[in-house]
Amino acid sequence: MSTSVGELAPASRSSNWRTPAVIILCGCAIGMLGFGPRSALGFFVQPMSHEFSWGRDVFGLAIAVQNLLWGLGQPFAGAVADRFGLFRVMCVGALLYAGGLLLMRYSSTPLSLNIGAGVMVGFGLAGCSFNLVLSAFTKLLPAEKRGLALGAGTAAGSFGQFLFAPIGVALIDNFGWQQALSVFGFLMLLIIPLSLALSTPPVAHAANATPADDDQTFTRALAEAFGHRSYVLLVLGFFTCGFQLAFVTVHLPAFLVDRGISAQTGGWVIAAIGLFNIVGSLSVGYLQNSLPKRYILSTIYFTRALATLAFISFPITPFSAIAFGAISGLTWLSTVPPTSALVALMFGTRWFATLYGFAFVSHQVGGFLGVWLGGVVFEKFGSYTPIWWLSILFGVLSALINLPIVEKPVQRAVAQPA
């Protein structure tokens, strides 16, 4: 028997069109649009650097700022969405995202690039990326539908990467990098009408919250989370995910060109990552209902470390590059469904967007360091080798860090009636 959104949230009983299928479809579309352009920004490194005589550290710093501000802005965007509903946050995020890409299109100095690609796109992503889509799924969908929905929402981001990588290369080759950024910017405005389907009620009306959840304040939620050992371990492990993803997304295309691999092949490598992560995210979304999530996360991080070790240990060819993309893709965003599910399991849905947002800060701090250090190390040594080895080390450490996580709700004192 299907469950309508009207049965899930009191504030939406008159919105009978917002069935679970519509919510998942629109949320996946937003995830695809939000993640697509930012995953294709690595293809703008060389044309912009050549035109303005920038080193790769200049572009790397802008994208590093983007990753950092995306992370720092996420818990605040989540807190506003938790308290006042998601639609307003999505609209502001989409406008910032579109504006940042258009400003990047007219950037001719490192400062304007940092403001557009760094600050505006970073804060825009905090307001309209797949993280808030997952929050909406958690709040609006019944528990039995959440696991697969979280996997589908994450897979949609991967499909955006698969779709936008070759599109970005084609637009740059045929129309120039400026027009490519303009197209990307205007596409981000589609997020605004799509977000109507994901509109969540104010916190007082959250249907999935328990009475203990309703009594919990913002500061108590943070104190509880950061005093909980398993949450802290989860947050620390998520750092590696951001480091690895951001470094590969931004620097892998240029790394391949340095090895004599064409930019078109680089586009298909990034696309392969997105395509295979659709399989990985959906599979993990399904498996997390029957397997311990901590073991899934540990396996993902260890697999990434082994794939990276194999990739840099043998000669780089188009085949090995695409094979690396395929293996990496299976684990690319597959950390997101079990990580978000563990946050919801431990603390409930009342402050889910906020607490997952703080976990995402760790992810994006890792992303900042991955992108920034990649540019700095290349300019200093003419090679990315030290960063590849650091990525392997972080993968092994995160595989170990996730093993002691306890998968059960926190114990809270229940207030007794007077």
Side-chain angles (χ1 to χ4, degrees):
M1 179 177 176
S2 62
T3 306
S4 69
V5 180
E7 296 172 282
L8 301 175
S12 60
R13 286 180 180 140
S14 61
S15 303
N16 293 326
W17 63 274
R18 294 201 304 154
T19 63
V22 170
I23 289 174
I24 293 173
L25 182 63
C26 291
C28 288
I30 293 172
M32 178 192 72
L33 288 169
F35 199 77
R38 61 89 48 194
S39 65
L41 292 181
F43 298 106
F44 295 86
V45 172
Q46 288 196 316
M48 293 186 71
S49 296
H50 288 160
E51 181 159 342
F52 301 114
S53 299
W54 293 338
R56 292 183 190 176
D57 54 336
V58 173
F59 200 97
L61 177 61
I63 305 303
V65 169
Q66 175 196 117
N67 279 275
L68 183 62
L69 295 184
W70 181 8
L72 294 177
Q74 194 66 64
F76 297 100
V80 174
D82 280 335
R83 180 65 183 87
F84 299 104
L86 183 138
F87 178 68
R88 295 179 181 87
V89 178
M90 280 276 186
C91 290
V92 173
L95 291 173
L96 283 172
Y97 198 164
L101 289 172
L102 292 175
L103 179 58
M104 183 180 171
R105 180 247 188 275
Y106 292 101
S107 295
S108 59
T109 65
L111 177 60
S112 58
L113 181 68
N114 285 329
I115 294 173
V119 177
M120 294 181 67
V121 173
F123 282 133
L125 282 164
C128 68
S129 66
F130 67 92
N131 295 307
L132 289 184
V133 170
L134 300 185
S135 172
F137 285 173
T138 302
K139 291 175 180 291
L140 295 175
L141 297 175
E144 65 272 13
K145 295 181 181 292
R146 287 182 204 159
L148 195 56
L150 292 173
T154 307
S158 300
F159 183 72
Q161 179 170 327
F162 168 75
L163 188 64
F164 277 80
I167 287 177
V169 172
L171 287 172
I172 292 170
D173 288 345
N174 291 283
F175 303 102
W177 62 267
Q178 296 93 338
Q179 294 302 321
L181 286 170
S182 296
V183 172
F184 284 177
F186 285 113
L187 284 175
M188 294 308 97
L189 298 178
L190 294 176
I191 291 174
I192 295 175
L194 288 169
S195 62
L196 285 168
L198 273 64
S199 179
T200 55
V203 72
H205 301 293
N208 291 323
T210 65
D213 290 334
D214 289 335
D215 292 337
Q216 193 177 45
T217 64
F218 174 81
T219 53
R220 287 181 181 176
L222 292 186
E224 178 183 72
F226 284 100
H228 190 56
R229 179 172 176 264
S230 292
Y231 178 77
V232 173
L233 292 175
L234 186 67
V235 169
L236 291 175
F238 216 22
F239 169 92
T240 293
C241 183
F243 184 94
Q244 294 170 331
L245 267 61
F247 170 69
V248 169
T249 298
V250 174
H251 292 289
L252 181 62
F255 171 79
L256 293 176
V257 171
D258 293 339
R259 295 298 188 276
I261 308 298
S262 68
Q264 288 76 15
T265 300
W268 285 111
V269 172
I270 299 298
I273 291 174
L275 179 63
F276 278 84
N277 191 51
I278 296 173
V279 178
S281 296
L282 289 174
S283 300
V284 167
Y286 174 78
L287 290 174
Q288 70 178 16
N289 291 325
S290 55
L291 296 177
K293 299 171 184 61
R294 63 188 184 278
Y295 294 157
I296 294 175
L297 287 171
S298 182
T299 300
I300 288 171
Y301 288 122
F302 191 65
T303 301
R304 283 189 193 171
L306 288 179
T308 302
L309 178 62
F311 178 57
I312 66 173
S313 298
F314 296 96
I316 307 298
T317 66
F319 175 79
S320 71
I322 293 177
F324 173 71
I327 297 172
S328 297
L330 291 174
T331 65
W332 192 249
L333 292 176
S334 300
T335 57
V336 174
T339 299
S340 56
L342 281 171
V343 173
L345 173 65
M346 293 175 190
F347 308 108
T349 62
R350 168 70 160 83
W351 293 105
F352 172 83
T354 306
L355 297 180
Y356 179 73
F358 275 102
F360 195 68
V361 171
S362 174
H363 184 283
Q364 293 307 98
V365 169
F368 170 85
L369 291 175
V371 176
W372 178 65
L373 287 177
V376 170
V377 167
F378 182 85
E379 290 301 316
K380 185 173 181 62
F381 300 105
S383 171
Y384 291 114
T385 299
I387 306 301
W388 286 118
W389 283 104
L390 195 58
S391 177
I392 293 169
L393 174 63
F394 286 159
V396 173
L397 291 176
S398 286
L400 298 174
I401 284 172
N402 278 274
L403 290 176
I405 289 175
V406 177
E407 301 184 28
K408 64 180 182 180
V410 295
Q411 298 298 316
R412 293 174 181 152
V414 178
Q416 299 296 325

